[in-house]
Amino acid sequence: MSFRYESLPVLQEQLRKQELSCREVVEHYVRQCHDHRHLNAMLEVFEEDALIQADRLDEKLRNDLPLGKLYGMVIAVKDVIVMKGKEATASSAILQGFESLFNATCIDRLLAEDAIIIGRTNCDEFAMGSSNETSIHGPVLNAADETKVPGGSSGGSAVAVQADLCMASLGTDTGGSIRQPASLTGTVGFKPTYGRISRYGLIAYASSFDQCGTFTRNAVDAAMLTEVMAGQDPHDATSSSQPVPDYAALLEPPAKLRIAWYPQTIDNGKLDPEVKQQFHDLLEKLKAAGHTVESVDFTYLDYLVPTYYVLTTAEASSNLSRFSGIHYGHRTEVTADVDEVISRSRSEGFGEEVKRRIMLGTFVLSSGYYDAYYTHAQKVRRIIRNETLDVLSRFDIIITPTTPTTAFAIGEKTTDPIEMYLADIYTVQAPIAGIPAISVPLHTHSNGLPYGMQLMAAPFREDLLLAVTDHLMQHFR
Ligand code: GLN
């Protein structure tokens, strides 16, 4: 069977006409996963479960039973989102062998709408990283150039879509972990508003930032997936009760958009000159198409990454304190008293980057420094949010490049954490402010690698981001 995936509406049409079956589709993806094992994107392929689900769906169609909204969609899931009866490791040694007793809410919602889960994807350990190099399972290779990183932390999910190992995948985004790898792999990476999708069943990194989102090939698939996963959940008190619109029916953007851009992001020594030129060209094209495009001062750029790292490490140091080696996960072989067992299990089980962040977070929360760092960063977060919302009260969209460069070489930044953290310079603003953002794959660099442009919008304007993404991909690529 020769099969090329375009979008979910097209696939569902083909399935309904019985031009192909869910079983054939799943068999295709299982083969793809097998043939691309060297990319290290998939940690586990659920061949048997996926085929059972496929047969069940084919049966439903034959019997003319009602079909779910995501009927036939083959999805891979980042290894920080738990699935019942499946291992969930957060790519960490400390969780090796841990099996979840329940499904994350987003997984239950996908399955209830007839999606097919094909497997679990590699990521940075506890979603901490920008290159997928901190995973205990080893790095993921970028399918556009296998000597390059795919970005992180959701690198496996990005490559799973890039290399056609699935139709769409789930990631989590705390500071850019969906949008940055989406940019480096030429996929659509969408992080909804904080609280739009339940965090129940996500292995927490920084709870006031974490949000589940999607990698897709196009806007319509992101729209359909988000609609299914979004909405209030009694298991997550921070999930929003705002009604969830039918995003896929709202893919037409307003004829005249008001678009803001920050000169500070562009006059930045770290920005690749070619990305900068493309960004300016895109602004000119948008103006020529009749949109309002204005530069707006944003003087807080230099504060974004420090604010992000003070607050997220503080939250991580608390969230990760539950991994003690006592109840589950890795436990040291050494027999000793309970404190010693916990301390050794944690020393053995956590990787270097995770330890660095736990120590940093513990430091900024320590009694002598709490006000100087943590309280201070909370205040700066509020200022950044207010400033961002102020711009978004006057403009529909803020546009920036998603990443300052295209994918970098494996190993290039591993010895310099600060350099690595700066890869997030454009993506941390949205989670600091709690707003939705998307990376749109618009360009290919002369070095042959893809990169994206980022759009941000006001809270709960997912509809607008998806509509503009659809428009840009059709007319500005
Ligand atoms: N790269 C960022 C970090 O290392 C973002 C991670 C994320 O969004 N989970 O923290």
Side-chain angles (χ1 to χ4, degrees), residues 86-89 92-100 120 137 328-330:
K86 299 282 180 237
E87 202 177 340
T89 73
S92 178
I94 208 156
L95 276 172
Q96 290 308 298
F98 169 71
E99 251 183 37
S100 175
R120 201 155 57 85
H137 309 292
Y328 51 81
H330 171 77

Side-chain angles (χ1 to χ4, degrees), residues 78 127-130 152-153 172-177 205 308-309 357 424:
K78 183 180 183 179
M128 297 175 183
S130 307
S153 63
T172 57
D173 190 312
T174 305
S177 275
Y205 159 21
Y308 171 81
Y309 276 95
R357 295 194 192 197
D424 305 327

Side-chain angles (χ1 to χ4, degrees), residues 250-374:
L250 298 170
L251 286 180
E252 197 58 48
K256 297 251 173 294
L257 286 165
R258 296 164 304 165
I259 302 169
W261 63 282
Y262 301 138
Q264 286 82 0
T265 55
I266 302 311
D267 299 327
N268 181 313
K270 299 272 178 210
L271 182 62
D272 179 298
E274 199 176 313
V275 177
K276 180 172 173 170
Q277 189 55 47
Q278 278 289 359
F279 182 76
H280 280 301
D281 290 352
L282 178 63
L283 295 184
E284 287 310 316
K285 284 188 207 154
L286 286 164
K287 270 189 217 161
H291 303 294
T292 307
V293 178
E294 274 177 38
S295 76
V296 171
D297 259 345
F298 184 69
T299 47
Y300 300 103
L301 191 71
D302 289 343
Y303 298 92
L304 292 175
V305 170
T307 304
Y308 171 81
Y309 276 95
V310 171
L311 295 176
T312 56
T313 56
E315 293 187 23
S317 72
S318 164
N319 274 328
L320 272 59
S321 64
R322 75 191 66 180
F323 302 106
S324 60
I326 301 294
H327 298 292
Y328 51 81
H330 171 77
R331 180 185 299 179
T332 183
E333 298 282 314
V334 177
T335 38
D337 65 37
V338 76
D339 286 347
E340 181 75 13
V341 167
I342 293 176
S343 150
R344 279 182 185 265
S345 301
R346 286 168 66 82
S347 303
E348 292 166 12
F350 288 130
E352 194 183 329
E353 181 61 26
V354 174
K355 285 181 193 159
R356 179 181 294 125
R357 295 194 192 197
I358 292 174
M359 286 191 278
L360 194 59
T362 307
F363 174 75
V364 300
L365 289 175
S366 60
S367 58
Y369 294 96
Y370 189 95
D371 280 342
Y373 291 102
Y374 185 71

Side-chain angles (χ1 to χ4, degrees), residues 10 37 75 131 195 216 353 367 395 448:
V10 172
R37 260 190 318 202
I75 300 170
S131 63
T216 55
E353 181 61 26
S367 58
F395 294 87

